[in-house]
Amino acid sequence: MGRDVPALVFTREDRRRYREKMHTDLEVLARMLRESGFESERPQVGLEIELNLVDDDGLPAMRNTDVLRAIADPAWSSELGRFNLEINIPPRQLTAGGPGSWEQAIRDALNHAEDRAAAVGAHLIMVGILPTLGEPDVSEAALSGDPRYRLLNEQIFAARGEDLRITVDGVERLSTYADTITPEAACTSTQFHLQVAPKEFPHYWNAAQAIAGVQIALAANSPFLFGKELWRETRIPLFEQATDTRPEEIKAQGVRPRVWFGERWITSVFDLFEENVRYFPALLPLCEDEDPQRTLDSGGVPQLGELTLHNGTIYRWNRPIYAVTDSGPHLRIENRVLPAGPTVADIIANGAFYYGLTRALVDEGRPVWTRMSFSVAEENLHTAARDGIDARLYWPGVGEVPVTELVLRRLLPLAHRGLELAGMDDPWREPLLGIIEQRCVTARNGAVWQAETVHHLEKAGVFDRREALRQMTRTYMDYMHMNAPVHTWPVD
């Protein structure tokens, strides 16, 4: 969905032609997979971070156009809401540079952007859901000015035919309606990319699906929405509901949601793209001029524009990516389950855990996905989103156990082994995975700190929830800039 699109009205002919082009793209992709023409000699990792903008008081700042102009860096781009933006960190090999080099590069980029943003009266904050965000902040006026967002909003509501209902039962209860998709902008995430060879793709995707619940439990950082304390990672149910094109009757018929965990383990990356075409009508049926078959026949690399645009409007928690660069076409997995923040140190630790654990699981003789049902993996995701680091999750061979015990006894050793297989020696691994270990030992992550801090403020006499959230957000930002891992943050 990163490409620019014009504002227009789609005809029945547009939709028919788009569907035909997607089927052609699928045929070309299948041929490319058979002929093994993908770049995978030097696999790279990548990172995108979505951020919120606030003013000096910690309240939402609808200033992304001004901030992007001040930053003046193509690595930065707008997101759905005027209070959002995103940075795309340049891809690299996992073991490139010395210990801390990736972390330092990210901090340098964020600090530069913060300085530029402050000059126009805004500040950056990395958090799953901005705690001070209120329902009036996600009206249609808060949609970013890019035509693609307004077009997407129109198409989702045209498909749905009625307002969105957002309901979350957690510590407290939220039930409201939205007449735009702007509540989706409340969901800001960290997205890890992993380039893989076509033959290895299904194994890495299955592994990523199997550990999605564990990732969320460890890194939950979204306990508040519209002033209510809800799930530990409220971003998960909010995102699922805020882009749902299905009215209740269509849901009852079993039609798949566009924010989708999936429904089965896969044997090829083709399975995912084929499901996209088979199950989901196009939201943005924009056809490219390219004839992908002719491009491939002439020795070129097809862009598969229709297939990739369609893929960008289906929000899998682990999304397949087909892309073409100067070195040729490649495939990668976009891991989308994690919230942003709290600190760069936490983000890098989350990445080390993800990359190491998936590598180790793929290397096992009897893969975890052959011993776990797919529905259990999905149940783990929602249990983890609700309960965070206090969740009890299922894992083959041990049954249902506290996630902290599962990680300390089973998964952290595997993550160490996976990073070692990737070429990362002990002095690199220990500081990174040590953060994950201490989160489990202390049972503290961003969601726990946010909730405890608000409760502390309320007990201390700050009886207005909005004011308690504002004060907590200001303190959060101070600690975020110190870059000390969140499990070390005190509750003042």
Side-chain angles (χ1 to χ4, degrees), residues 167-185:
T167 304
V168 185
D169 287 307
V171 178
E172 297 169 346
R173 186 172 192 272
L174 173 70
S175 182
T176 188
Y177 286 88
D179 58 4
T180 75
I181 61 169
T182 320
E184 180 196 334

Side-chain angles (χ1 to χ4, degrees), residues 13 24 27 103 111 120 163 172 178 202 207 244 258 273 289 300 312 314 322 340 390 397 413 420 458 466 469 472 482:
E13 173 63 19
T24 300
E27 292 171 5
E103 180 178 343
N111 288 336
V120 295
D163 288 351
E172 297 169 346
D244 199 340
R258 293 193 92 95
F273 286 105
D289 293 332
I314 298 160
Y322 167 90
D390 294 323
E420 186 176 19
E458 290 175 335
R466 290 173 297 179
L469 289 169
M472 179 271 286
M482 293 178 187

